[in-house]
Amino acid sequence: MYAFQTAGSEPNPHALAALVKASEQHAIVASRDIVDVRGVKLWAQGQAVSATLHQRLIDRRLQNPLEVCLMAEGGVTPFSLLSDLGEFIDSSSPIASIIRPWASVLLEQMQHIPLHSVAQLMLTASLATRPATLPHALAAMALAGAMVASRQGSPQDIRLAMLGGLLHDIGEVYIHPQYLDYGQPLDLMGHKHLVIHPRVGQMLLSTLTDYPAVLSRAVGEHHERLDRSGYPARLEGDEVSTLGRVLAVTEVTLGIMRWPNAPLTRASFALRVVPGEFDPAWASFVWDAAREADEDPCATANTIDLYQQLADIDQQLVQAQHLGQELHEQGRTLPVINVVTQAMQRLDRLRVAWNALGLWRVSAGDAPQAERFELELAHAELRQRMRSVQRECLLVSDRLGEAEKFRVAPLWKGLMAGRD
């Protein structure tokens, strides 16, 4: 679908557009001649990138990947990153407050982190097209580094964790921008595009840089979950590397920081709501930070409505499980059985989470505010997990025939019944 350019292929159109856009703000020049597969020189070494380059490269297959033919002389640099990291540590961000005990370690290691020219180029392109990506990358770099430093990691391990945080979303440069608005729900097509960005980032780093394999592997794993509910490879347990587990906790924690009300409490809840998703060795860093932060959350929704909505979720899970069991027993073809089995496994995990929460032992009117806030969190997190199961069913069933799709369709439709 989307990939970075390899030798003998055309440049990725979204990455090319981002690089041209970045050239309007920062100096980007050709570090070597850009030549097509027929030997025709399209752009000379030392020539500054401009909109003309975009026209020259349309439908042209190149001898060398475009990323290794260009160099950013400005934009994101080791010096700017060190300065930005210092400013972030001194900021009022909830993440800054919990990584501050390791500030001196992070700033010291930042001075020894090698920023490969390809990584620098693509970070600069990302900054120019989506400015919010750099603060996210900086926060991820700081959080991942602090997590490893808190467990007495070696300087090399801390630097790898920081690099992983900085580069974990670098594959997004190769995705159509319309699928990168995390504030909007994605349809199936959007999800198909988005789920490949970890793999694209992994391939980019492993193919075009000299970074260690453990780093590129972890970048490819930052959306994986230990219970096989993640993407893009649905890895399980020990299949996810240590650094991949660190980045998974980092990604989820930062994804919740946009919430103004008790963000650390929300992140802690998200990391423990479904047992087995995240490695507790690393999630505990956020759990402990949330307890020490002593946030004062307040419920914002009608408690009675939340009780009803959570009860609706419970009923939908039961119905989906029953339907899944029926489809499994009726399945006559292996693909149908595979779809239903995978869905049932995910639903079983959600039922375990539901039973473990224990939030429904008192009447709505008697619920204290802290419990009402947890009701809100449970509603949001369980709904998000159910959407994930629905998307997964749709993705897997996309390979089925029309008759088989019709047979399993009630399973995912039932998941999203009721109101949000």
Side-chain angles (χ1 to χ4, degrees), residues 259 261 266 269 297-303 305-307 309-310 313 359-360 369-383:
W259 293 93
N261 185 15
R266 290 178 181 272
F269 190 93
C298 60
T300 58
N302 184 285
T303 306
D305 287 345
L306 283 171
Y307 270 91
Q309 291 182 53
L310 287 166
I313 293 177
L359 297 174
W360 300 274
Q369 179 166 297
E371 183 167 305
R372 293 201 302 270
F373 185 66
E374 285 214 336
L375 284 170
E376 287 187 24
L377 300 184
H379 173 258
E381 289 300 324
L382 288 173
R383 276 294 187 201

Side-chain angles (χ1 to χ4, degrees), residues 93-220:
S93 165
I95 294 298
S97 67
I98 66 175
I99 60 97
R100 210 163 279 141
W102 294 275
S104 61
V105 174
L106 298 178
L107 291 170
E108 169 64 24
Q109 296 308 319
M110 183 68 243
Q111 299 179 60
H112 302 286
I113 290 178
L115 189 60
H116 192 279
S117 59
V118 169
Q120 179 182 356
L121 177 70
M122 303 318 294
L123 285 171
T124 300
S126 181
L127 172 63
T129 53
R130 299 174 61 227
T133 59
L134 185 59
H136 177 76
L138 279 167
M141 179 172 66
L143 179 56
M147 288 169 63
V148 173
S150 72
R151 296 176 64 85
Q152 290 75 53
S154 68
Q156 180 181 12
D157 288 338
I158 295 172
R159 291 196 292 270
L160 279 174
M162 293 176 71
L163 261 177
L166 178 66
L167 302 176
H168 72 285
D169 276 337
I170 198 167
E172 289 186 350
V173 182
Y174 297 80
I175 307 299
H176 195 296
Q178 77 180 76
Y179 302 122
L180 297 175
D181 183 0
Y182 290 97
Q184 300 296 325
L186 286 176
D187 58 14
L188 178 61
M189 181 58 67
H191 189 66
K192 282 183 176 180
H193 288 263
L194 183 63
V195 295
I196 68 166
H197 82 267
R199 178 60 176 157
V200 173
Q202 178 181 2
M203 294 174 64
L204 173 74
L205 296 176
S206 64
T207 305
L208 301 185
T209 78
D210 55 2
Y211 285 136
V214 65
L215 175 65
S216 56
R217 174 184 173 182
V219 166

